[in-house]
Amino acid sequence: MRFSELNDEQIVALAISLEEEDARIYRDYARALEEHYPASAKVLNEMAKEEDSHRQWLIDLHREKFGDHIPLIRRQDINGFVAHKPLWMVQSLGPERVRKQVEEMEFETRRFYERAMVKTTDAATRKLLGDLAQAEQTHEALADKLGEKIISTSVEKAEAETRRRLFVLQVVQPGLAGLMDGSVSTLAPIFAAAFATGDTWATFLVGLAASLGAGISMGFAEALSDDGSLTGRGHPWMRGLITGLMTALGGLGHTLPFLIPHFWTAFAVACLVVVVELWAIAWVRARYMDTRFLQAVFEVVIGGTIVFAVGILIGSA
């Protein structure tokens, strides 16, 4: 269902579901952190209690305006929301990673309230949604305390952090997804063609087709994934364009060396380009995606090496 299709009752019902789910997630995080990070766990429990209060306000409003029966409308039922990882996938992570995930949740919920406030027609509902949007903005600042250190909450820093978050959501994430797919997925067909034919021009044509095809496919897949209205991920076609271009670029990087007529020279240059591509991906993941550099290197370089080897083995068969 699209957000634009919701009526006032459904908006309030969805808000109730969001507040309930967020409170449960915060309590799960608090329990996972309480042994080693008690201060962070305390902040999470306080945020969960506030979410409970917000949910009760919304339930009272629903009873007053629409009756006792509350329709079950959940985050996953509406286009544009991000699916949050379950606790077992983040339990081993420290408070800094949890803090960032909580910030993203609060940012998403605040955008929902801001859009819902404009869409609703009832004055009392609009006022409550506006108050909740302000409360979620306060929670974003409160989430800064989860690192068990004092962080400045000046207006300048808050604005800079918002810009950084939007840059990561709208540019870095789709671009990185495209670069990873283009760089890794095209390794096998390109190097398989190289060793199967021994012809640099034929290999170039295979690489060109694989790169452009992957770019078009990934671009449409990203553009159609969600409209970005609630997640802050930006216009879907802009994300699709970024993903598609980076996917094509990732494949073309190790395709262009095969314009060199001498096979082994072209192969050596292509291998060098692959190394640069994989290390660049690892650096971006470490810089923007909160992944340790060595872990990023292991995940990207090892995976790319396996795909690279598969292509050579198949091409040499």
Side-chain angles (χ1 to χ4, degrees):
M1 179 181 294
R2 295 181 179 275
F3 176 77
S4 59
E5 298 173 352
L6 299 178
N7 58 33
D8 285 6
E9 180 182 10
Q10 291 169 332
I11 287 175
V12 176
L14 175 58
I16 293 171
S17 177
L18 291 176
E19 296 290 353
E20 181 177 5
E21 181 179 345
D22 288 354
R24 289 182 175 181
I25 291 175
Y26 295 159
R27 288 192 172 94
D28 283 345
Y29 287 167
R31 186 169 183 178
L33 296 177
E34 63 184 356
E35 180 178 356
H36 300 293
Y37 304 98
S40 295
K42 182 179 180 180
V43 173
L44 284 163
N45 280 319
E46 290 175 355
M47 293 177 69
K49 289 180 181 178
E50 284 202 34
E51 303 290 43
D52 288 338
S53 298
H54 298 169
R55 182 187 50 152
Q56 190 57 53
W57 297 346
L58 289 161
I59 290 175
D60 292 341
L61 175 69
H62 191 281
R63 284 174 174 166
E64 177 184 346
K65 298 292 182 180
F66 310 108
D68 291 334
H69 175 71
I70 301 175
L72 178 59
I73 304 177
R74 298 162 297 182
R75 175 183 267 111
Q76 58 266 36
D77 299 327
I78 307 300
N79 294 336
F81 279 102
V82 173
H84 298 293
K85 294 181 179 179
L87 177 63
W88 63 268
M89 295 183 69
V90 297
Q91 193 165 10
S92 61
L93 302 177
E96 185 65 19
R97 185 65 178 271
V98 172
R99 177 182 70 83
K100 290 183 180 296
Q101 191 151 349
V102 169
E103 283 182 340
E104 290 177 4
M105 291 170 59
E106 295 294 334
F107 178 69
E108 179 186 57
T109 305
R110 173 166 64 87
R111 284 181 62 87
F112 162 72
Y113 282 133
E114 289 172 347
R115 289 199 66 207
M117 180 178 60
V118 175
K119 188 177 186 300
T120 188
T121 57
D122 180 72
T125 304
R126 178 175 295 185
K127 180 181 183 304
L128 178 56
L129 294 175
D131 292 342
L132 290 173
Q134 292 181 352
E136 299 300 334
Q137 190 167 13
T138 303
H139 273 189
E140 287 185 65
L142 184 61
D144 283 340
K145 298 179 181 179
L146 293 178
E148 294 190 314
K149 57 186 178 182
I150 299 176
I151 301 177
S152 171
T153 55
S154 63
V155 174
E156 292 82 3
K157 181 165 185 177
E159 291 178 351
E161 177 61 23
T162 298
R163 287 194 297 269
R164 187 198 69 83
R165 185 188 300 122
L166 289 175
F167 176 72
V168 171
L169 285 173
Q170 298 175 1
V171 179
V172 175
Q173 286 185 354
L176 181 61
L179 185 60
M180 289 180 63
D181 184 85
S183 297
V184 176
S185 68
T186 58
L187 286 176
I190 291 174
F191 285 96
F195 277 80
T197 65
D199 186 334
T200 57
W201 178 247
T203 301
F204 171 75
L205 293 178
V206 170
L208 182 64
S211 301
L212 295 181
I216 294 170
S217 175
M218 282 290 290
F220 274 101
E222 178 63 31
L224 298 175
S225 62
D226 72 72
D227 61 12
S229 59
L230 297 178
T231 62
R233 297 180 66 209
H235 195 281
W237 292 110
M238 179 57 68
R239 289 197 329 271
L241 178 63
I242 293 171
T243 303
L245 288 176
M246 293 305 293
T247 302
L249 180 64
L252 290 173
H254 45 265
T255 296
L256 292 176
F258 287 98
L259 287 172
I260 301 172
H262 188 268
F263 179 82
W264 290 110
T265 301
F267 174 74
V269 174
C271 289
L272 180 61
V273 172
V274 169
V275 172
V276 173
E277 288 172 346
L278 296 180
W279 277 87
I281 292 170
W283 182 85
V284 172
R285 291 194 65 195
R287 174 68 176 81
Y288 291 102
M289 309 305 292
D290 304 310
T291 304
R292 293 179 180 178
F293 183 70
L294 291 180
Q295 178 186 348
V297 169
F298 179 81
E299 294 172 349
V300 176
V301 175
I302 297 300
T305 302
I306 293 173
V307 177
F308 175 77
V310 168
I312 293 178
L313 288 173
I314 293 176
S316 302

